[in-house]
Amino acid sequence: LRHADQAVRAAQQTRLSGTVTVGLAPTTWGVLGLPLMQAMRTRCPDVRLHMVESMSGHLTAMLHARELDLAVLFDTRLHQAQQATGARRWDIAPLLEEDLFLICARDRGEGPGHPRGRQLPETITVAELVQEPLILPTGPHGLRSTLDTAFARDRVAPHVVLEVDSLAMVMAAVDAGLGSTVQPWAAMGRYPDAAERFQCARLTDAPARRVNLLCSLPDEELSPAALAARVVLTDCVRELVTSGQWFGTTWIGGQDTSA
């Protein structure tokens, strides 16, 4: 019914119009949110963009409930399950891979997870995290499932001191020296003074990378506005990755989708 109403409005105007709802996780929002809004304003000025920021597990549930048109999600099991069953509940396309980093506070004091004078190396392995006091999201979210897979592969029992389903609170706890976290570089993107607040070491283990997937309702369920937004989002991500603005990432999407 919502798409039917949008189709009537689109038919009454000469330019593409309607509403599209896009879900982004907090780390993705920090890098992609503003560029996507700016690109939509330029390329689809009459489309009303509804942006939702939430943890990836919540976005998954919203997409299942048809409350989102598009979302950037991380759990590759979604892709594998859909390929194995042949089901087409969503359209799923790979976008990029992100390196993961161990992130802790710089030496501005001493706390239970922040010994004075500590200096991280440039790189670190999953096995070396065994004694690290970690602050992580809980199981339903894509990053945790990626990390749990890496921990299980190396038979590492992580020392999780806090579980927090809020990126802002995770980073605040890390900043306060309560522990370290494992996140993509984008987790520090909202801090203009990130270089003074945090230090990080890149995880070198191959499974310890986060795959970003563009998930959407099937084409037949998407409005023209949502189909256009999917193209704009893909183009935005490609530009951010290939220009180096989205640090620690590799583009794994398809060919140019510009329209």
Side-chain angles (χ1 to χ4, degrees), residues 32 48 51 55 60 99 139 153 174 182 221 246 251 256-257:
L32 179 60
R48 181 182 300 169
M51 301 284 285
M55 300 293 286
T60 299
D99 290 331
R153 185 209 62 168
V174 171
V182 178
E221 295 186 40
W246 198 334
W251 171 254
D256 194 350
T257 57

Side-chain angles (χ1 to χ4, degrees), residues 25-255:
T27 48
T28 311
W29 182 283
V31 179
L32 179 60
L34 183 58
L36 176 59
M37 290 187 284
Q38 292 170 329
M40 285 294 293
R41 177 68 61 87
T42 299
R43 294 173 59 173
C44 306
D46 293 331
V47 171
R48 181 182 300 169
L49 185 62
H50 176 201
M51 301 284 285
V52 177
E53 178 188 2
S54 188
M55 300 293 286
S56 61
H58 302 149
L59 295 177
T60 299
M62 293 180 71
L63 195 58
H64 273 304
R66 275 26 191 185
E67 296 172 357
L68 298 174
D69 295 307
L70 317 170
V72 178
L73 302 175
F74 313 113
D75 193 343
T76 54
R77 291 175 300 183
L78 299 170
H79 199 189
Q80 293 164 357
Q82 182 155 284
Q83 287 182 324
T85 62
R88 195 167 178 270
R89 184 173 178 83
W90 302 342
D91 279 344
I92 300 177
L95 285 174
L96 65 127
E97 285 186 337
E98 292 177 285
D99 290 331
L100 296 179
F101 295 82
L102 175 68
I103 302 172
C104 70
R106 288 202 176 275
D107 185 18
R108 299 193 308 279
E110 193 165 357
H114 184 204
R116 184 179 293 277
R118 182 188 191 194
Q119 182 64 44
L120 289 181
E122 289 187 7
T123 61
I124 197 168
T125 65
V126 170
E128 292 175 300
L129 300 180
V130 64
Q131 297 297 327
E132 194 71 36
L134 294 175
I135 304 170
L136 299 175
T138 53
H141 304 297
L143 177 63
R144 184 62 180 271
S145 68
T146 297
L147 290 174
D148 285 347
T149 299
F151 289 138
R153 185 209 62 168
D154 286 357
R155 299 182 180 179
V156 172
H159 178 40
V160 180
V161 296
L162 280 171
E163 290 187 316
V164 183
D165 288 338
S166 161
L167 178 64
M169 292 303 298
V170 166
M171 298 307 293
V174 171
D175 193 27
L178 298 180
S180 306
T181 191
V182 178
Q183 296 281 344
W185 170 85
M188 299 180 285
R190 297 189 183 189
Y191 290 88
D193 58 346
E196 287 73 44
R197 285 178 177 269
F198 305 108
Q199 56 176 323
C200 61
R202 183 172 60 85
L203 291 184
T204 57
D205 302 54
R209 304 194 86 207
R210 187 168 76 169
V211 177
N212 287 237
L213 304 169
L214 175 54
C215 303
S216 67
L217 302 181
D219 287 2
E220 61 269 20
E221 295 186 40
L222 289 179
S223 67
L227 291 168
R230 191 169 64 183
V231 171
V232 174
L233 187 152
T234 302
D235 290 346
C236 267
V237 171
R238 183 191 301 103
E239 173 60 26
L240 290 168
V241 172
T242 57
S243 67
Q245 297 177 70
W246 198 334
F247 181 75
T249 60
T250 303
W251 171 254
I252 59 172
Q255 300 299 313

